Amino acid sequence: MKVYKFGGASVRTADGVRNLASIAAAESDRLFIIVSAMGKTTNALERLLDDFYEGRTGEALLKLQQVVDYHNAIIADLWPDGYMPERVGRFYMELEEVIATSNPAMREYEVWYDRIVSFGELLSTSIVSDYLATAGVANTWVDMRECFVTNARHKDANVDLERSAERLGTLIHATDARVYVGQGFIGATEDGAPTTIGREGSDYSAAAVGYILDAESVTIWKDVKGILNGDPKLFKDVSHIPEMNYLDAIELAYSGAQIIHPKTIKPLQNRNIPLYVRCFLDPSLPGSVIRAGVKKNREIPILIVKPAQVLLTIRANDLSFILEERFASIFALLNEYMVKVNLIQSSAVNLDLCIDRTRHLDELVARLSEEGYFTKYNTDMELLTIRNYTPQQTASFGSSPEVYLMQRTRRTLQVVRKKEE
C-alpha cells in the first residue's frame, strides 16, 4: 500500500482533478489517496463560519452559495452531461440546514469550526472519488470521521493512532479495494463529534494512514519540484534539496515550513516510512525524499517565514521572577486558550513570546491581567527562521529597524519582525 496526498492547490480546478486521476491510474500498487479541500474552500468556509457565529445567517447563506457555485463549476467541467455526485448534493443540503436552523450560541466557536469547515474535504473527496470511477479507476470513498478517532480538542485535535487503527483496519479488510479516497484534516471524537487536526493537517492525515497501514511510502503532491530551501515567492535563487532526514524535517515543519505539517514526521519515523514530496505539475520530476540515514544538512541555509504572529510581553505586577515563580501558571493559561508558542525569550521579570495570532488574544490578555500580570503585544508580526544561517544573514536580517526580537543558537537564527508590506 502507498499513500498519496493531494493538497487544495492540486484539485482547485477540473484539470487538477483530471491530473490527479492520471497520476492515480499510473500507479499499479494499492493506493490510499488523501485529498484536501479544493482551492481556497477552507478560507471561504472560515468566513462563512464567522458570519454564522455572529448571527448573520443571511450573509452566511450567501457565502455558502459561493462555495456551492465554485464546486458546481468544477463538476460541470468534469461531467458536461449534467451529472451531479449524489454525496455532493447531500452535503450541500446538510451544510445549509446547519447554517439555517442552528443556534450558534449553543456551542463554542471551535466546535462549530469543526462542524462547518470539515465540509470542504467531504465535498472535494466526493467529487474526486466519483471522477476516478468515471475515468476507470475503481475506488472506495472513505469517511475519515468514521476512521480517525481523536480527542475533543476542537480545531487542533490529536489522532488516537491505536484506536483509529482498529477502525481503519476493519474497513480495509472488509472492502479489499485497490484505491481508497479519504479526507485530510478531519476526524471525530469517540462519540462522533466532527473534529479537525489543524490547518494544513492533511499531511498528518496521510502520515497517520501510512503508519496505521504500514505503508511502503507516503507521497505529498505539491506545485513545487520538491523541498526547496525557501519559498520562491519570498526569496530569490532558492535551491532544491533532494533528500533530508526526519530530524531536520520536523524542525523545519515546526518553524513554519509550508512543505509539511509539523505532526507529519513522527508517525513516519516510528515505522521508518519514507516521505516523498513530488510535483503534480510534472510527475516525471524526481522530487525530494525525507527518510532515515540522510546526513544532517549543514551547508544550505533554509529560510522560513511564518506569518500571522503576535509578539506578547508578560510581566508580573509584583516583579516576581518570571521563570522560577510564574512560568507554569502562564503556560497553563496559554494551553487553556489553545495558543501556540513559537519562540520564548525571558529576562528576570519579562517573558516575551512569539505566538500564532488567535481570536482569543483579548480573552487571554484579560485573564493574564486578572492573574496579576502586565501585558503588551504587537500584532501583524512574522517570524523568520534560518537554519544553517551565515554571518552575512545575521547582519542583514538582524539590523533592520523592523526587527523586534532576535534569537540565535548554534544552527538556527530566528527574527521576530514587523510584517513586510
Side-chain angles (χ1 to χ4, degrees):
M1 178 78 75
K2 294 180 179 178
V3 179
Y4 281 0
K5 179 261 177 173
F6 291 88
S10 63
V11 291
R12 60 188 172 89
T13 64
D15 283 343
V17 177
R18 294 187 186 98
N19 187 48
L20 181 157
S22 68
I23 291 172
E27 178 56 65
S28 58
D29 291 329
R30 297 179 75 193
L31 276 182
F32 200 112
I33 301 174
I34 292 291
V35 185
S36 300
M38 291 177 157
K40 299 296 184 181
T41 298
T42 299
N43 293 342
L45 289 172
E46 287 176 339
R47 292 190 293 269
L48 180 161
L49 168 66
D50 288 342
D51 282 334
F52 164 78
Y53 195 70
E54 297 299 328
R56 300 186 293 268
T57 304
E59 288 86 343
L61 289 172
L62 287 174
K63 288 183 172 62
L64 171 59
Q65 189 58 52
Q66 294 171 358
V67 171
V68 169
D69 291 344
Y70 169 68
H71 287 83
N72 282 350
I74 292 175
I75 291 169
D77 194 332
L78 293 172
W79 291 282
D81 60 359
Y83 173 78
M84 169 61 68
E86 185 271 334
R87 275 188 302 268
V88 171
R90 188 169 72 245
F91 288 138
Y92 286 163
M93 290 188 291
E94 185 179 343
L95 182 50
E96 181 178 10
E97 183 178 2
V98 169
I99 296 167
T101 65
S102 302
N103 178 3
M106 294 296 292
R107 296 183 177 89
E108 296 177 350
Y109 175 88
E110 286 76 14
V111 177
W112 284 119
Y113 183 99
D114 289 354
R115 180 76 177 89
I116 289 174
V117 176
S118 59
F119 276 95
E121 280 69 18
L122 296 170
L123 292 171
S124 66
T125 53
S126 297
I127 294 170
V128 166
S129 177
D130 276 27
Y131 183 74
L132 283 173
T134 299
V137 181
N139 68 94
T140 296
W141 183 84
V142 180
D143 188 337
M144 298 305 291
R145 297 173 299 179
E146 298 176 359
C147 296
F148 274 177
V149 181
T150 75
N151 62 5
R153 186 180 173 89
H154 289 279
K155 205 180 175 188
D156 189 27
N158 289 313
V159 178
D160 183 333
L161 291 175
E162 303 312 314
R163 185 73 184 89
S164 301
E166 298 174 12
R167 296 192 180 185
L168 187 57
T170 299
L171 169 75
I172 296 295
H173 291 307
T175 54
D176 195 33
R178 190 185 78 80
V179 177
Y180 298 87
V181 178
Q183 306 80 37
F185 182 54
I186 71 175
T189 61
E190 189 73 51
D191 58 4
T195 56
T196 61
I197 58 178
R199 285 299 301 261
E200 311 300 332
S202 294
D203 293 350
Y204 178 64
S205 297
V209 170
Y211 174 91
I212 290 169
L213 301 180
D214 198 12
E216 174 186 336
S217 64
V218 173
T219 300
I220 296 175
W221 294 90
K222 301 184 74 72
D223 58 354
V224 292
K225 62 182 181 180
I227 299 175
L228 305 177
N229 74 323
D231 186 339
K233 298 175 184 175
L234 301 176
F235 302 103
K236 297 179 180 179
D237 302 322
V238 296
S239 302
H240 174 235
I241 301 174
E243 58 180 6
M244 180 178 290
N245 63 40
Y246 292 122
L247 179 60
D248 279 343
I250 199 167
E251 289 284 359
L252 296 180
Y254 186 82
S255 298
Q258 295 298 302
I259 200 73
I260 48 175
H261 187 273
K263 295 179 182 178
T264 304
I265 299 301
K266 183 178 182 295
L268 300 179
Q269 188 272 341
N270 289 168
R271 290 209 191 276
N272 199 23
I273 299 171
L275 173 65
Y276 293 91
V277 179
R278 297 182 60 190
C279 180
F280 66 78
L281 299 174
D282 187 355
S284 67
L285 295 175
S288 302
V289 61
I290 298 168
R291 59 178 176 82
V294 179
K295 292 182 179 180
K296 285 185 178 181
N297 168 41
R298 298 185 181 276
E299 299 176 357
I300 303 175
I302 301 175
L303 297 88
I304 305 158
V305 174
K306 192 167 191 176
Q309 299 295 290
V310 175
L311 181 59
L312 173 65
T313 299
I314 303 170
R315 180 193 311 140
N317 288 331
D318 64 1
L319 297 185
S320 57
F321 293 134
I322 200 76
L323 289 185
E324 290 89 338
E325 302 174 31
R326 300 282 190 158
F327 198 77
S329 63
I330 291 172
F331 273 79
L333 279 175
L334 294 172
N335 182 65
E336 181 180 338
Y337 287 100
M338 299 174 62
V339 173
K340 185 174 186 298
V341 179
N342 301 307
L343 184 147
I344 303 170
Q345 186 162 295
S346 66
S347 64
V349 296
N350 279 350
L351 182 64
D352 292 305
L353 304 173
C354 180
I355 63 175
D356 285 352
R357 191 168 59 210
T358 168
R359 63 181 283 113
H360 298 299
L361 180 60
D362 290 339
E363 299 171 58
L364 172 63
V365 168
R367 281 289 302 279
L368 287 167
S369 178
E370 292 172 8
E371 297 292 331
Y373 296 102
F374 163 81
T375 61
K376 62 180 178 180
Y377 60 85
N378 301 89
T379 57
D380 296 325
M381 307 296 288
E382 60 185 17
L383 174 63
L384 169 66
T385 300
I386 307 177
R387 295 272 287 178
N388 308 319
Y389 64 91
T390 65
Q392 294 81 7
Q393 288 169 329
T394 303
S396 174
F397 291 109
S399 62
S400 168
E402 300 300 312
V403 171
Y404 282 48
L405 185 153
M406 184 171 72
Q407 197 172 91
R408 187 172 61 174
T409 63
R410 294 179 183 88
R411 293 185 61 198
T412 303
L413 172 69
Q414 291 189 290
V415 176
V416 181
R417 62 186 186 183
K418 197 72 174 175
K419 178 184 176 182
E420 294 185 344
E421 300 298 333

